[in-house]
Amino acid sequence: MRDKKALNLKRTISIWNFVLSFFNLLVTIKLYPVLIYIIYHYSLTGLLIIPPIYTCGFGTVGLWICFFIISKYFELIDTLFLILKKKEITFLHWFHHSTVLLYTWDTYYEEIPVGFIFICINAFVHSIMYFYYFLASCYNKKFKWSIIVTLIQICQMFLGVLLTSYCLYISYIYTYNNKWTVSFVHKLKNNIYNFISYEKKKKNMKRLGQLLKWISN
């Protein structure tokens, strides 16, 4: 491998970056309405206290969360591209990819509530980041607004620190046996499930209306 020439993967990398950007955009679209709904009706603290199986770890939302977790394996292809292009793999690059992969799977397995927020933030950031990479690879240059992408990534890190700190705080002042009783948690699950079902039904009715309108014309 050392004696071989670097491969020209410009088109492949462009397509790959676009696919990742589009996928993360889909995750953002699918998860953010549920995130906003839960925080609006049950507060941020409620989201961080209640086990995800009662809030976001089931149905369509749970499936998209699973897709996101699996996508962390596919992001390792970024490293493969660097190897094939004979680019240097920095410590920050491999450390980031490996630790994020381990953390997301640990959060998913242990059903840590704050993981849902991290997924929403990360998906949003990656949809922008990979779209920038897509444009940069297409035009083979860096854009002036690359600083915005960097700032968004830095904000993601700060939000992560703040959320983790808040989780440590509420872990000492809240317990499951006060407001968040078993009956209340089950009620919450039903409310969120009904919300998701309603949104899906509303979308299907809209499509049906468009179809009937098209047929009538």
Side-chain angles (χ1 to χ4, degrees):
M1 186 67 189
R2 183 178 299 176
D3 299 328
K4 292 184 178 180
K5 293 182 179 180
L7 299 179
N8 183 8
L9 302 171
K10 180 180 177 181
R11 180 174 296 180
T12 304
I13 293 175
S14 296
I15 295 172
W16 178 246
N17 287 329
F18 179 80
V19 169
L20 285 180
S21 174
F22 183 71
F23 168 76
N24 281 280
L25 179 62
L26 284 178
V27 174
T28 302
I29 293 172
K30 292 291 184 178
L31 299 189
Y32 265 83
V34 179
L35 175 67
I36 295 170
Y37 176 86
I38 297 172
I39 293 177
Y40 179 77
H41 287 87
Y42 303 99
S43 77
L44 175 63
T45 303
L47 175 60
L48 297 176
I49 288 178
I50 301 173
I53 191 63
Y54 297 116
T55 55
C56 58
F58 61 93
T60 304
V61 177
L63 181 63
W64 278 98
I65 290 175
C66 184
F67 286 157
F68 178 84
I69 302 298
I70 294 173
S71 73
K72 292 305 169 184
Y73 279 116
F74 289 94
E75 288 184 7
L76 295 176
I77 295 177
D78 293 347
T79 307
L80 177 62
F81 286 148
L82 290 176
I83 295 173
L84 295 176
K85 291 176 64 180
K86 294 294 186 76
K87 298 289 186 179
E88 180 185 0
I89 300 176
T90 63
F91 169 78
L92 180 62
H93 176 89
W94 69 259
F95 181 80
H96 169 74
H97 278 282
S98 58
T99 53
V100 168
L101 176 61
L102 291 172
Y103 177 76
T104 50
W105 273 106
D106 179 68
T107 304
Y108 186 68
Y109 178 78
E110 296 293 339
E111 298 184 10
I112 300 174
V114 73
F116 181 52
I117 303 178
F118 284 144
I119 288 174
C120 291
I121 295 173
N122 191 249
F124 172 72
V125 172
H126 276 200
S127 65
I128 297 173
M129 182 186 76
Y130 279 109
F131 186 70
Y132 170 80
Y133 290 159
F134 164 70
L135 293 177
S137 59
C138 285
Y139 293 96
N140 198 27
K141 69 174 184 178
K142 290 184 177 180
F143 296 95
K144 293 181 179 179
W145 52 277
S146 62
I147 185 64
I148 298 177
V149 179
T150 304
L151 289 175
I152 292 174
Q153 291 173 310
I154 293 173
C155 288
Q156 176 186 213
M157 302 305 165
F158 274 110
L159 282 173
V161 172
L162 290 174
L163 279 171
T164 303
S165 301
Y166 186 62
C167 286
L168 289 173
Y169 169 70
I170 63 176
S171 67
Y172 287 102
I173 64 172
Y174 278 87
T175 57
Y176 286 106
N177 59 1
N178 51 22
K179 176 183 176 182
W180 310 99
T181 60
V182 174
S183 60
F184 182 81
V185 167
H186 279 290
K187 181 180 178 181
L188 170 63
K189 177 185 176 182
N190 292 332
N191 288 345
I192 296 172
Y193 178 79
N194 292 334
F195 166 73
I196 296 171
S197 300
Y198 171 75
E199 289 296 316
K200 189 174 182 180
K201 183 179 179 181
K202 186 169 67 172
K203 184 184 292 184
N204 291 336
M205 290 300 293
K206 183 178 180 181
R207 289 176 179 173
L208 178 61
Q210 291 173 344
L211 178 62
L212 292 174
K213 184 178 180 181
W214 179 77
I215 293 173
S216 62
N217 292 333

